[in-house]
Amino acid sequence: MLATDDDVQTRATPATPPLSTPLRLQRISPALGVEVSGIDLREPLSDAQVKDLRSALVAHKVLVFRDQDITPAQHVAFASRFGELEIHPVFPRHADHPELVLLGGNAQKAASENVYHTDVSWRELPSMSSILRCEVCPDVGGDTIWVNMELAYERLPEHRKAQIQELFAVHDIMPAFGRRMNPEERDAARKQFPPVSHPVVRTHPESGNKILYVNAAFVTHLENFTACNPVRGAFESHSEKNDLLEYLYRQAAYPEYQMRLRWAPNTIAMWDNRSTQHYAVQDYFPAVRRMMRATVIGDKPF
C-alpha cells in the first residue's frame, strides 16, 4: 500500500521524545520548526536542557527562541554546549569572539546569501548545527526559509532514490567564497579546503533517517555518475549528469517542505545543518539586517 502524504510527513518529522525540563514547543509549519519557550539563554544550560534541546533539534530541525537578549559571550557559551565551534575562514568575525561570524550588508551594499544551501558543506567535517542571533532587522522583509531535506528525500520517486543511492557529490568552497578573496587568499584556501566528496544521500547520525544532501551553493558536480549510470557517450553523460543535479537542487524549493521565519531583534534560530537547507530572503535592501552566527562542527557524512 502506498504511503499517504500524512504518513510520509509523520516519518520525516517525528514527535519529540518526552522532555525532562519545562520546555514548551510550538510547531511553526507542518514540515519542520518549533518555537521554544520556557528557557532563558542568558543562564548556563543544564545537562537535561542540552539533552532536551538536542532531541527537539533532531526531531524538528529548527528551534526558534524569541526575546533572548544575550551577549556575544553567552551566545558562544550556549553554542559550545552542543560541540566544538568552527572559525570561519572568510566571513568577518567578532573582535572578541572569533567563533561568531558577522552577517549582513549595509545601506550601500546588499547581502548575497540568497541561495538554498547547507552551511559549510565544503568541509571534510561539515556543520552539525548553526545558531543565528538577530541584532538588527528591517520592519518588513529579511525572512529566512528552512527546508526539511529528510522530507525532500522521502518524497522522491522510488526510481530517483535508486538512481542516487550510491552517488557522491563534490562540495567546494570556491563557487560561493572565491570572489571574496584575492589571488593569494584563494591559493591558501584551496590548499586548506580542497574539494570534498559527500554522499548524495547521507544518513543522519542520530535519527538514522536518510537525507538529500546536495545544495546549489557548494556542490559543483556528481563525482561518480557515469560509474553508477550507463550512458551512450560523453555528451549524454554530461547532459544527464547536469540534468539530475539540477533536479536535485530544485527539491529544496518546494514550499511543502519549508518553514519561514519572521525575524525580530533578539530572536535566535538554531538549526540542524545535516537535515536542512536554508535561504536568506534578500527583499529588504537598502534596509539593514545584521546577524551573528556560531557554527557547531559536525562529523563526516555517511
Side-chain angles (χ1 to χ4, degrees):
M1 185 166 82
L2 292 176
T4 66
D5 282 357
D6 288 341
D7 292 332
V8 170
Q9 188 161 289
T10 299
R11 290 202 302 274
T13 54
T16 311
L19 302 177
S20 58
T21 59
L23 296 176
R24 295 183 296 277
L25 308 179
Q26 178 66 45
R27 295 285 293 275
I28 295 173
S29 84
L32 74 167
V34 290
E35 287 207 15
V36 182
S37 56
I39 190 170
D40 184 346
L41 299 185
R42 295 173 299 181
E43 302 296 328
L45 297 181
S46 68
D47 289 345
Q49 287 174 315
V50 172
K51 181 180 178 181
D52 283 350
L53 288 173
R54 193 168 188 120
S55 294
L57 182 69
V58 172
H60 299 289
K61 299 167 180 58
V62 182
L63 310 181
V64 175
F65 307 84
R66 297 288 191 181
D67 302 316
Q68 299 286 344
D69 188 8
I70 62 174
T71 66
Q74 290 166 335
H75 189 164
V76 170
F78 169 66
S80 296
R81 292 291 272 130
F82 298 90
E84 181 183 356
L85 305 185
E86 73 160 33
I87 306 298
H88 198 282
V90 180
F91 281 135
R93 301 188 290 266
H94 191 280
D96 298 322
H97 301 281
E99 304 93 338
L100 297 177
V101 299
L102 310 178
L103 301 173
N106 52 47
Q108 288 75 46
K109 182 180 179 181
S112 58
E113 291 83 30
N114 55 332
V115 60
Y116 289 107
H117 67 285
T118 300
D119 287 336
V120 300
S121 69
W122 40 265
R123 289 186 180 271
E124 186 72 24
L125 303 179
S127 165
M128 184 279 281
S129 178
S130 294
I131 298 98
L132 183 66
R133 175 176 174 265
C134 177
E135 292 189 288
V136 176
C137 59
D139 293 335
V140 62
D143 298 354
T144 299
I145 296 167
W146 281 271
V147 190
N148 181 342
M149 297 309 294
E150 287 181 9
L151 190 57
Y153 171 76
E154 183 66 38
R155 293 190 177 180
L156 287 174
E158 291 302 320
H159 75 278
R160 287 294 191 189
K161 292 181 184 178
Q163 185 182 25
I164 66 176
Q165 190 58 45
E166 302 300 326
L167 290 180
F168 282 77
V170 176
H171 298 241
D172 192 346
I173 188 175
M174 287 302 169
F177 290 110
R179 58 189 169 80
R180 298 173 183 246
M181 308 176 196
N182 61 40
E184 292 77 16
E185 290 170 335
R186 283 195 293 273
D187 288 343
R190 175 52 75 223
K191 293 175 182 177
Q192 185 177 4
F193 303 108
V196 296
S197 295
H198 298 311
V200 168
V201 181
R202 73 173 293 181
T203 302
H204 197 287
E206 297 180 61
S207 70
N209 292 338
K210 299 295 185 182
I211 301 156
L212 179 60
Y213 196 66
V214 296
N215 70 88
F218 301 126
V219 169
T220 58
H221 62 282
L222 299 172
E223 182 179 60
N224 58 333
F225 176 83
T226 303
C228 296
N229 292 271
V231 293
R232 291 194 299 177
F235 178 80
E236 285 196 2
S237 172
H238 181 76
S239 176
E240 291 180 20
K241 179 169 58 177
N242 288 346
D243 287 349
L244 176 59
L245 194 52
E246 289 295 331
Y247 171 84
L248 297 177
Y249 289 156
R250 290 197 299 271
Q251 302 310 301
Y254 278 87
E256 291 83 358
Y257 308 157
Q258 298 178 352
M259 62 157 277
R260 186 168 180 140
L261 177 62
R262 176 75 182 96
W263 291 100
N266 296 323
T267 293
I268 294 172
M270 177 180 186
W271 64 93
D272 192 331
N273 267 313
R274 300 164 295 189
S275 56
T276 65
Q277 292 188 37
H278 57 282
Y279 183 110
V281 182
Q282 305 294 327
D283 59 354
Y284 55 91
F285 183 77
V288 174
R289 193 186 80 158
R290 290 201 298 270
M291 308 286 204
M292 285 190 190
R293 189 188 81 197
T295 304
V296 182
I297 298 171
D299 48 21
K300 187 172 178 60
F302 63 93

